[in-house]
Amino acid sequence: MDMELRQLRCLVAIVDEGTFTDAAATLGVSQAAVSRTLASLERALGVRLLRRTSRAVTPTGTGLRVVAHARRVLAEVDDLVRDATSGHTHLRIGYAWSALGRHTLPFQRRWSRTHPETDLHLVRVNSATAGLGEGACELAVVRRPLDDRRFESAIVGLERRLCAMASDDPLARRRSVRLADLAGRTLLVDRRTGTTTADLWPPDSRPATEDTHDVDDWLTVIATGRSVGMTAESTANQYPRPGVVYRPVRDSEPVAVRLAWWKDDPHPATQAVLELLTALYREA
């Protein structure tokens, strides 16, 4: 079945304007063209969509349903066009867990002051590319290398690695912990987006692991005392939680924070975002 957007726009215009004459004026075509377009749509669907009298044009029962669908389709098409053509005026930055931690709000405020022509939106997508591979954003903040040649990335800063534990955990009384202190514990990890695996420990002293897929679930389980977690410092800033405390891990390497983008289609604001994020992390 061949159906065209112009047919749907014609149908909606007739219903909204109430007459073929007014619909023709709205669409900028002749009344005869409106009649032909509607007739072709009815033939394609095999149903009657409008009742015509000398005084009014009203949708049939089927016509009402088709018009409702047509409005949704046309709205989606309009959104698609805006999304494809607004690269210079809109910017979505994806992240999996914790955005930029304590730098999140300063980044948003500085960006709005220095680049008011580009609307900034932060989007949380719990995937390995933080929404970049799914088309949910133009740039992504990630905390582990992307093993995908479609993307480029650059390190904008470093964050301490922290251990998250229940507030009544014996280790919570310490100011910091070591990897060896966690060897006999159960470590809650997100294998898709997390920054920590059991490989941080020597082979003969690795903790047991359990999987999670969401930061809220991660925090809920940790608060029970059943497991501990390891995460970048930004998580502690973004997600303070009653019943959970964060302690630095003294003998663990920091976590690199990367900005990633499509190699063959970088957003025009990529360089500006890189410079601003790098400056914010340097000020820390």
Side-chain angles (χ1 to χ4, degrees):
M1 179 185 296
D2 293 327
M3 188 181 305
E4 301 177 11
L5 292 177
R6 67 182 181 86
Q7 295 172 319
L8 300 182
R9 293 192 191 280
C10 179
L11 173 64
V12 170
I14 295 171
V15 172
D16 286 348
E17 301 301 330
T19 70
F20 281 55
T21 301
D22 291 338
T26 297
L27 295 171
V29 298
S30 68
Q31 182 175 336
V34 170
S35 297
R36 288 194 300 270
T37 302
L38 177 67
S40 68
L41 177 60
E42 290 182 324
R43 283 196 303 272
L45 294 176
V47 294
R48 189 177 181 185
L49 300 174
L50 299 178
R51 295 188 185 92
R52 309 163 184 82
T53 68
S54 59
R55 296 183 178 182
V57 177
T58 58
T60 64
T62 300
L64 286 172
R65 296 194 300 273
V66 173
V67 168
H69 281 289
R71 292 189 194 280
R72 290 195 292 270
V73 170
L74 294 172
E76 287 289 338
V77 171
D78 290 342
D79 288 343
L80 182 153
V81 172
R82 280 194 297 270
D83 184 67
T85 59
S86 64
H88 293 266
T89 59
H90 296 277
L91 173 60
R92 298 169 300 174
I93 300 181
Y95 66 94
W97 274 42
S98 53
L100 301 161
R102 64 190 178 89
H103 300 303
T104 302
L105 185 56
F107 170 65
Q108 291 172 299
R109 288 180 171 173
R110 289 195 193 183
W111 184 265
S112 64
R113 289 199 308 267
T114 57
H115 298 83
E117 74 285 354
T118 303
D119 291 333
L120 174 68
H121 302 276
L122 298 183
V123 183
R124 184 181 165 209
V125 182
N126 197 40
S127 73
T129 65
L132 197 58
E134 294 80 5
C137 57
E138 290 77 40
L139 299 174
V141 176
V142 295
R143 288 177 171 81
R144 63 183 187 184
L146 294 180
D147 187 20
D148 192 322
R149 294 183 179 181
R150 297 177 299 168
F151 307 123
E152 292 277 9
S153 66
I155 295 176
V156 297
L158 299 175
E159 294 176 346
R160 292 184 302 169
R161 200 181 297 267
L162 306 182
C163 176
M165 63 191 77
S167 57
D168 59 354
D169 191 295
L171 292 177
R173 295 193 291 267
R174 303 185 185 181
R175 297 179 62 181
S176 62
V177 298
R178 295 183 179 274
L179 289 171
D181 298 326
L182 309 173
R185 311 296 289 274
T186 298
L187 186 69
L188 203 57
V189 298
D190 183 343
R191 299 182 190 277
R192 292 181 301 176
T193 66
T195 58
T196 302
T197 70
D199 292 338
L200 284 173
W201 285 261
D204 59 346
S205 59
R206 289 175 177 167
T209 61
E210 289 185 6
D211 290 342
T212 188
H213 302 295
D214 182 83
V215 63
D216 288 314
D217 293 341
W218 183 79
L219 288 166
T220 298
V221 174
I222 289 173
T224 67
R226 194 178 77 209
S227 304
V228 297
M230 189 106 57
T231 188
E233 186 174 4
S234 56
T235 305
N237 288 280
Q238 197 87 350
Y239 296 101
R241 177 69 65 91
V244 175
V245 298
Y246 297 88
R247 296 292 181 261
V249 183
R250 295 200 302 271
D251 55 346
S252 180
E253 292 293 323
V255 177
V257 183
R258 293 173 168 84
L259 185 71
W261 60 92
W262 284 91
K263 182 184 297 184
D264 62 353
D265 189 24
H267 190 280
T270 299
Q271 186 59 37
V273 174
L274 272 173
E275 292 174 0
L276 179 51
L277 291 182
T278 300
L280 284 169
Y281 273 94
R282 284 177 178 170
E283 292 171 8

